[in-house]
Amino acid sequence: MITKDEILNLENTLYGAIQNRDTEVLGNLLHTDLLFIIPGGQTITKEMDLQTYREGNLKVNEITPKVEELHIIADLAVITLQMELKGNYNNEPFEAKYKYIRFWKKFPEGIKVVGGSGMAI
């Protein structure tokens, strides 16, 4: 069983890894078969996401999350949240508000993100 506290702690770890561009931590949090729809509408994989950070294309300086809903369904957690992000993408500054849904699933090796989606609001 997954607890809400576990998911909220993992979300905070995820935000820190994004801000620090820590691909090792991100690699541990994201499932190998991850599929995520980014705000531009493209579907990306774990490797594509990690490559964005490795190449320095995405730098997030500030993350302000606001959890809307968090549901635990056996070994799966579904979280929706709004996030204000500030940073730069391909050396272009951005400041925007996004809505995300993320799916965390429990595996023998830990709880990992298996999918999600984000859109600008």
Side-chain angles (χ1 to χ4, degrees), residues 44-112:
I44 63 169
T45 63
K46 174 182 177 174
E47 187 53 39
M48 293 165 77
D49 193 29
L50 293 175
Q51 195 62 29
T52 298
Y53 292 101
R54 283 189 202 110
E55 293 175 354
N57 296 331
L58 176 62
K59 296 176 184 167
V60 178
N61 303 319
E62 291 182 40
I63 299 176
T64 308
K66 180 182 171 195
V67 173
E68 293 178 334
E69 298 204 36
L70 172 54
H71 295 269
I72 307 296
I73 308 161
D75 66 348
L76 180 76
V78 181
I79 188 168
T80 60
L81 55 147
Q82 291 186 28
M83 290 196 334
E84 292 184 34
L85 300 176
K86 295 179 185 176
N88 67 63
Y89 184 74
N90 290 330
N91 297 315
E92 293 292 324
F94 71 88
E95 181 175 341
K97 193 173 193 178
Y98 296 94
K99 182 150 184 164
Y100 286 94
I101 188 168
R102 211 175 342 267
F103 302 94
W104 293 87
K105 183 168 174 29
K106 189 169 191 170
F107 295 94
E109 65 274 14
I111 301 169
K112 299 188 179 287

